[in-house]
Amino acid sequence: MTYAIGLTGGIGSGKTTVANLFATHGIAIIDTDAIAHSITAPGGAAMPAIRREFGDAFVAPDGALDRARMRDAVFTDDAARARLEAITHPLIRTECERAASDAQGPYLIFVVPLLVESGKWRERVQRVLVVDCTEQTQIARVMSRNGFTRDQVQAIMARQASRAQRLAAADDVIDNDALHAPLAPQVDRLHAAYLKFAAQAEGR
Ligand code: ATP
């Protein structure tokens, strides 16, 4: 099985930005958010079960998930969230494994926003790479990117692992408070290390 890195970080930390830099080295990126989106698009693999479990009201006229309605429904209702995840998580896993078996290259990267929160993902990857920045930076980025209020961003952050919990789970850390730590050299350094680790794992 191809050597796998799990890339994670809090909302707005810069996971996509960092993943794009690894992709410039020819590394396959498997983005669980993009897969979650595709299985809930029109005709997506999760849609029949979502319609059965939650009803037509959660399906938009084009057949996609009504994301705003579902977000509201699960945000404070853990049981509803668990029902949704019981549908989506196995499909996401299957799709990730399919993408992983198709992936070319010396190692691959799974982008998993809630990796630290999920025991299964931690077991699936050889190393955990955390994209780190201060909470102030996260809040500022997400307010400006999504037009959210500070309270909205903080409510989302409160449902994710804390910065300290993520750092405790990290094998590697990228500092993305970018003013003092440009990303590209950090990615280049890690890429070189991952090539070595992957070659060693291959040789075993
Ligand atoms: P999410 O969890 O919300 O999907 P993410 O962790 O993938 O976010 P990005 O989308 O990469 O984060 O970055 C969040 C926002 O911050 C984007 O608008 C991005 O352009 C900006 N951003 C990320 N890193 C930097 C940086 N080093 N300098 C300036 N802007 C940045």
Side-chain angles (χ1 to χ4, degrees), residues 63-81:
L65 175 65
D66 184 333
R67 293 175 206 288
R69 184 180 275 252
M70 186 59 86
R71 212 178 295 124
D72 288 346
V74 303
F75 195 70
T76 53
D77 182 343
D78 289 342
R81 178 183 295 270

Side-chain angles (χ1 to χ4, degrees), residues 140-177:
R141 284 192 188 137
V142 179
M143 285 175 71
S144 108
R145 184 191 59 187
N146 299 49
F148 289 175
T149 65
R150 175 175 298 272
D151 283 353
Q152 283 174 311
V153 185
Q154 281 176 324
I156 295 167
M157 287 168 59
R159 299 186 65 86
Q160 302 188 339
S162 68
R163 185 180 182 197
Q165 285 168 328
R166 262 191 302 271
L167 288 173
D171 296 298
D172 308 300
V173 178
I174 285 188
D175 176 358
N176 189 28
D177 263 306

